Amino acid sequence: GARCCAHRPSRDGATEVYNNLSMPLGGLVPFARMAAVAHAATRAAGFVARASSAASTVVKGSRLIDIMDKTVVDDVFGHALKKQTGVSLKYMLDFGANPIERQLILSAQFLHKELPVRLAHRVAELENLPYGLSAKSSILKVRDWYVESFKELRTFPTIKDLGDEIKFTELLRSIYRRHANVVPVMAQGVAELRRELVKHNSLTELPEIHQFMDGFYLSRIGIRILIGQHIALHEPPKSNHIGLICTKCSPVQVAQDAINDARSICLREYGASPEVTVYGDPKFAFPYVPSHLHHMVFELVKNSLRAVAERYDGGDTEPPDVQVVVATGREDVTIKISDMGGGISRAGVKRMWNYLYTTARSPLPDLDPDDESYVALPAVLAGYGCGLPLSRLYARYFGGDLQIISMEGYGTDAYLHLNRLGNSQEPLP
């Protein structure tokens, strides 16, 4: 792959990290190497042009330039034109296997330079969304979180020793917490736009919105992996773990945990839950991020349980089991979730990947982004309108994919493909 790290030498040692980021370090081929991102600035500029031509209506006084010092705004948009630098999972595994003092300092120095670039890319897009989305209060709230984190990183002094690195890690913890509720707050802004469009009978596919949301959430996954991995290296060691990455992740075991969580929620919502049968070798394991896998399987099983529970609710027939099959091939680990919940129409399957579409009542409309209730937001069965699109992004981030095949009148099969070879590139926007 092409090197994407033509940076000037610096005294802080961060260049050493840059120059090794995209290199295979022996053993596995890098699992999530960054795709070439030379087009990032062009894409950002194109997004701005599309936004302005799509009748973007931003209220005067809500733009960054109206509320923020010009030097900060210039710094944000200057960083938004810089290239993002990707890290392979293989690199994180090797780098974190023995987190000695020098490696922790190098990691902190890299994040000190890289995170402002990634945050600035997202701020630039949040500022220039079409259809008036940029002016929604929840979108402004997310933008301000990103700007605040950007400013904190930019004002943090150069990291020279372990004392600096420990202080920087505390800052990363603070940033990680600040952005914890980005998904529901963003979903609230999109739900507000959806209600407006329905009211005016103008709800359409809106490809610009979906392109932005895919890129935004994909970038968020990457940012949280980078920050979470660095923070995790400071935590007490966990068996078979290097930071967030489990070197012996059992997909059958993770799937079983996700199933238990999904069934408990189904019980709470419907008073009963269909059984789930799991097929696969529980001894098989491969390197993966268990929290990502749990999120994806939980979302898919949750949807299947809901479909079956609603189809057989109040009837005399015992609801059929949801089946989960874990298959291991040379290239992929594939998890199939099958239900007999009545299926979805072909038009419905297309809409499933639409951030503006959900068949369930949304839990979001009446929540205030500043309200503490966001922190304890329940993992409801449905209603965010982003569960499936997000799950597909989690799969694609490490080179996998998610496909849904449905038979209307019968049931649905979801195929979750996880790349096990480690030869894919991180598809950051």
Side-chain angles (χ1 to χ4, degrees):
R3 294 280 284 278
C4 53
C5 41
H7 294 267
R8 289 193 301 270
S10 62
R11 294 177 189 174
D12 61 9
T15 306
E16 185 174 330
V17 177
Y18 286 142
N19 290 339
N20 286 291
L21 286 175
S22 58
M23 287 185 173
L25 300 182
L28 286 170
V29 179
F31 192 36
R33 191 165 54 200
M34 166 69 92
V37 290
H39 68 291
T42 309
R43 183 181 177 279
F47 203 97
V48 172
R50 284 198 308 279
S52 60
S53 67
S56 180
T57 52
V58 180
V59 179
K60 176 83 173 150
S62 64
R63 310 231 9 149
L64 267 187
I65 196 67
D66 299 325
I67 60 171
M68 200 74 63
D69 187 82
K70 184 177 183 297
T71 55
V72 174
V73 178
D74 288 346
D75 197 25
V76 168
F77 283 92
H79 275 74
L81 293 173
K82 292 182 179 178
K83 295 175 187 175
Q84 300 167 100
T85 308
V87 183
S88 73
L89 188 65
K90 170 62 178 167
Y91 182 82
M92 284 195 280
L93 280 168
D94 286 357
F95 197 80
N98 183 25
I100 57 175
E101 183 176 313
R102 173 166 171 72
Q103 285 177 306
L104 289 172
I105 293 169
L106 285 172
S107 172
Q109 288 169 344
F110 166 67
L111 293 178
H112 192 208
K113 287 183 183 295
E114 176 63 17
L115 289 175
V117 176
R118 296 198 183 196
L119 293 172
H121 275 254
R122 305 290 70 80
V123 172
E125 289 194 334
L126 286 166
E127 270 282 273
N128 292 285
L129 296 176
Y131 309 105
L133 189 56
S134 287
K136 305 291 181 219
S137 60
S138 49
I139 304 297
L140 291 171
K141 169 63 84 178
V142 171
R143 182 203 65 186
D144 291 347
W145 285 340
Y146 273 70
V147 173
E148 189 63 27
S149 298
F150 176 88
K151 283 162 60 182
E152 288 177 355
L153 288 161
R154 290 290 290 148
T155 54
F156 194 91
T158 303
I159 299 160
K160 297 174 182 172
D161 54 35
L162 195 59
D164 294 338
E165 188 275 331
I166 289 168
K167 289 177 190 167
F168 183 72
T169 302
E170 279 308 307
L171 170 60
L172 291 182
R173 284 194 177 98
S174 166
I175 290 171
Y176 198 81
R177 285 193 299 270
R178 174 182 297 136
H179 293 257
N181 294 309
V182 161
V183 171
V185 178
M186 285 291 292
Q188 188 183 28
V190 173
E192 192 181 336
L193 174 64
R194 182 182 187 278
R195 288 195 299 275
E196 284 179 9
L197 293 171
V198 168
K199 188 176 174 184
H200 295 98
N201 294 316
S202 56
L203 181 61
T204 57
E205 292 298 311
L206 303 187
E208 303 101 320
I209 297 293
H210 302 298
Q211 182 186 351
F212 159 72
M213 296 292 278
D214 271 349
F216 182 86
Y217 285 140
L218 197 59
S219 171
R220 182 177 185 269
I221 292 168
I223 289 169
R224 289 186 81 75
I225 275 280
L226 287 180
I227 294 178
Q229 184 68 7
H230 184 87
I231 291 171
L233 293 177
H234 284 266
E235 307 295 337
K238 281 172 68 178
S239 175
N240 298 323
H241 275 72
I242 295 174
L244 299 175
I245 306 153
C246 179
T247 55
K248 294 182 179 177
C249 176
S250 163
V252 169
Q253 185 57 57
V254 174
Q256 192 61 64
D257 292 342
I259 289 162
N260 294 342
D261 290 346
R263 290 193 75 226
S264 69
I265 287 179
C266 191
L267 276 167
R268 194 172 72 205
E269 290 283 318
Y270 295 99
S273 172
E275 295 291 332
V276 181
T277 311
V278 182
Y279 302 92
D281 180 3
K283 295 188 181 126
F284 171 78
F286 73 124
Y288 208 75
V289 179
S291 58
H292 284 197
L293 183 53
H294 184 284
H295 175 98
M296 293 183 284
V297 175
F298 171 80
E299 184 66 34
L300 295 167
V301 171
K302 182 183 70 167
N303 287 348
S304 287
L305 291 175
R306 175 179 165 230
V308 173
E310 289 186 354
R311 190 184 194 198
Y312 290 86
D313 188 29
D316 297 330
T317 312
E318 189 73 18
D321 291 6
V322 172
Q323 297 192 336
V324 176
V325 180
V326 180
T328 57
R330 283 183 299 177
E331 183 178 328
D332 283 348
V333 174
T334 303
I335 301 176
K336 182 177 79 165
I337 294 100
S338 302
D339 69 65
M340 288 187 274
I344 309 153
S345 68
R346 281 189 295 157
V349 170
K350 286 180 185 172
R351 288 198 298 268
M352 290 171 78
W353 308 111
N354 188 321
Y355 288 100
L356 293 166
Y357 173 77
T358 176
T359 56
R361 175 185 57 81
S362 174
L364 299 168
D366 303 320
L367 286 178
D368 176 356
D370 291 317
D371 195 318
E372 288 183 5
S373 62
Y374 254 117
V375 178
L377 209 60
V380 289
L381 271 178
Y384 290 108
C386 59
L388 278 174
L390 260 181
S391 296
R392 185 165 67 174
L393 293 180
Y394 274 108
R396 288 179 174 176
Y397 184 79
F398 284 136
D401 206 357
L402 172 60
Q403 296 169 311
I404 306 281
I405 298 171
S406 193
M407 290 175 66
E408 190 178 11
Y410 180 77
T412 303
D413 289 347
Y415 291 86
L416 176 60
H417 302 281
L418 310 171
N419 186 304
R420 66 175 288 191
L421 296 182
N423 59 357
S424 64
Q425 295 181 318
E426 182 185 19
L428 277 183

